[in-house]
Amino acid sequence: MGTLTNKRILLGVTGGIAAYKSADTVRRLREAGAEVRVVMTAGAAEFITALTLQAVSGHPVHQQLLDTGAEAGMGHIELARWADAVLVAPASANFMARLAQGRADDLLSAVCLATESPVAVAPAMNQQMWSNAATQANLATLKKNSIGIFGPAEGSQACGEVGPGRMLEPTELVALVSDLFASGELDGLTVVVTAGPTWEAVDPVRGLTNRSSGKMGYAVAEAAVEAGARVILISGPTSLPDPERAHTIRVESAQEMHDAVHAHIADADIFIGVAAVADYRPTQIAKDKIKKTQEKMTLDLERTPDILASVAALKPAPFTVGFAAETENLEQHARQKLATKNLDIVAANRVGADLGFGTDENSLLLVEPAAVTELPMQPKARLARALIAHVAARYRAKHSAKVHTLRRP
Ligand code: CTP
């Protein structure tokens, strides 16, 4: 998996000769794992065709603000909500001026104004235009408004001059976009995450399992990596590739997952149990394949170890987060788990027809002893980032509270 796996990047292309590099930028963003949609200004269309950018992004290019067809499909508000980050590359002097003014009279500027996600620009222009006091004043405004400024580089320009104003190369832009997601909230901490289902063997070819896809646990592991943590992901059987930069350990049964967790938990500052661990397993695993000789058969089951509860019972215990999949009475059931297992947070989600397992979207209710926080329905990758931000804040609060208590005379 790349550094932008599951990220939705909206690439804005404005009018400038560097627009010819946009096709390569799209390609590099996609290689890094991102899903890319492109918005072009009218000026950009003079330098590169929508057809080219549609072909490399795999999606129709968005160009019009007030187009009935476009607004019925993905209009400026939907695009603004869709994007995890907006990169405008190349960003012309004119576009920077419009963004600094908060204009919304074309699609790209309207999307930049309407999004809650980070916005960054990669300026590209003649060096005199870049150095001009008006552009520099706009630049200062954009910085003040928390717009990321990527570049520009110095060097020879298309107009024959030499100086600052060249757009950064697509590979440099991709690295900087990846950095937008690196919050540093978990810098220096170790996080152990469990994910996926478990497989409890009945005989050599059959077993008990569940419909967990592992998507949420993997997204949590990736979000923790992005936040700066060293991450150990202990996963039951899934079809997902190992997340990049996490140490992934593959296991099958609840017992193996338990043992792998306890082999690594001593180093962990935070434990997040996302796995859908089987609660019961066959008391005996048949050595050979069971033959259908009897009309009826009964499987004798016994409880599996409760991994989450065993971690929360450690002394000292890491900051412990459990998941609860419920079909009804979400908060009440979550609160029970919080108390009986002695957890810091229970992240509860509704499951049922079309909800939870296997889907790409979910919502969570974060239940804590003195608070309840709702994270609304959104793609699992984004939901995982919101969860990690919440966990990081609570971890820091608990930690500094402890330091405080210790320091008190
Ligand atoms: N969990 C675990 N080990 C188990 C079972 C569950 O670590 N053997 C963890 C899961 O990873 C999840 C949480 O516990 O974080 C789920 O709690 P659990 O009580 O198992 O949920 P349910 O099985 O849904 O509970 P119940 O059927 O008792 O409501």
Side-chain angles (χ1 to χ4, degrees):
M1 281 193 195
T3 52
L4 289 173
T5 300
N6 294 329
K7 305 294 183 308
R8 296 165 157 187
I9 308 299
L10 193 138
L11 177 69
V13 183
T14 72
I17 182 62
Y20 83 90
K21 291 187 178 173
S22 299
D24 196 31
T25 307
V26 172
R27 199 170 62 87
R28 305 266 179 194
L29 286 167
R30 292 188 71 189
E31 275 171 9
E35 193 185 333
V36 183
R37 289 188 182 256
V38 180
V39 173
M40 286 171 85
T41 62
E46 303 290 331
F47 292 89
I48 186 166
T49 71
L51 202 60
T52 304
L53 294 173
Q54 174 174 319
V56 286
S57 69
H59 294 284
V61 170
H62 304 265
Q63 290 177 278
Q64 303 298 333
L65 178 59
L66 299 173
D67 173 309
T68 46
E71 286 289 309
M74 220 192 215
H76 65 289
I77 299 296
E78 282 80 11
L79 281 168
R81 283 195 193 129
W82 175 88
D84 290 325
V86 177
L87 168 67
V88 182
S92 63
N94 179 47
F95 184 76
M96 287 177 63
R98 293 156 52 73
L99 192 59
Q101 284 178 15
R103 300 275 287 268
D105 53 359
D106 76 351
L107 182 59
L108 184 56
S109 51
V111 168
C112 289
L113 213 55
T115 190
E116 279 183 20
S117 298
V119 177
V121 296
M125 65 197 72
N126 164 274
Q127 53 102 13
Q128 279 298 343
M129 290 171 80
W130 173 253
S131 306
N132 186 287
T135 304
Q136 290 301 310
N138 291 331
L139 179 68
T141 304
L142 295 181
K143 283 182 181 166
K144 187 164 67 66
N145 293 349
S146 302
I147 305 286
I149 312 292
F150 295 171
E154 293 208 19
S156 61
Q157 302 199 305
C159 51
E161 294 179 19
V162 177
R166 271 171 67 126
M167 189 177 84
L168 294 185
E169 292 304 320
T171 49
E172 295 172 298
L173 293 176
V174 171
L176 289 166
V177 171
S178 303
D179 287 349
L180 286 177
F181 296 97
S183 66
E185 286 161 324
L186 294 179
D187 272 354
L189 300 179
T190 296
V191 179
V192 173
V193 180
T194 64
T198 60
W199 170 269
E200 307 302 331
V202 173
D203 69 13
V205 293
R206 304 183 182 94
L208 305 178
T209 188
N210 59 65
R211 293 174 58 197
S212 166
S213 63
K215 283 180 186 167
M216 190 63 206
Y218 280 54
V220 168
E222 278 168 15
V225 166
E226 271 166 26
R230 183 171 81 94
V231 176
I232 300 163
L233 171 64
I234 299 170
S235 170
T238 71
S239 55
L240 303 172
D242 292 359
E244 218 171 69
R245 297 175 292 157
H247 175 42
T248 306
I249 300 168
R250 302 262 176 185
V251 297
E252 282 203 336
S253 65
Q255 187 64 51
E256 284 173 17
M257 189 175 274
H258 171 274
D259 296 349
V261 165
H262 282 278
H264 291 89
I265 205 70
D267 297 337
D269 302 289
I270 298 171
F271 174 78
I272 309 180
V274 196
V277 186
D279 291 324
Y280 292 92
R281 67 186 168 204
T283 37
Q284 289 198 329
I285 304 174
K287 197 161 65 58
D288 296 309
K289 188 179 162 204
I290 300 170
K291 292 287 177 193
K292 51 178 179 304
T293 48
Q294 305 159 28
E295 248 344 280
K296 278 189 171 180
M297 82 170 275
T298 309
L299 274 180
D300 195 32
L301 303 177
E302 64 184 7
R303 287 287 296 271
T304 55
D306 190 319
I307 303 165
L308 183 64
S310 70
V311 168
L314 291 171
K315 303 232 174 322
F319 188 93
T320 310
V321 182
F323 266 65
E326 308 286 353
T327 52
E328 38 143 35
N329 298 336
L330 207 57
E331 186 178 339
Q332 191 193 331
H333 285 140
R335 213 161 263 298
Q336 264 165 15
K337 280 194 181 111
L338 192 73
T340 54
K341 298 198 191 187
N342 196 23
L343 308 174
D344 291 289
I345 302 177
V346 170
N349 66 304
R350 255 187 207 93
V351 286
D354 304 331
L355 278 177
F357 288 168
T359 58
D360 291 325
E361 293 217 336
N362 214 336
S363 63
L364 287 175
L365 196 67
L366 305 183
V367 180
E368 297 165 83
V372 177
T373 311
E374 186 162 5
L375 303 180
M377 186 63 76
Q378 54 196 307
K380 284 182 177 174
R382 202 179 283 186
L383 188 63
R385 290 198 284 278
L387 171 68
I388 286 296
H390 190 92
V391 169
R394 291 296 202 256
Y395 173 87
R396 298 272 176 217
K398 189 175 174 180
H399 212 66
S400 65
K402 261 193 202 150
V403 172
H404 225 71
T405 325
L406 287 175
R407 281 201 190 129
R408 210 169 283 160

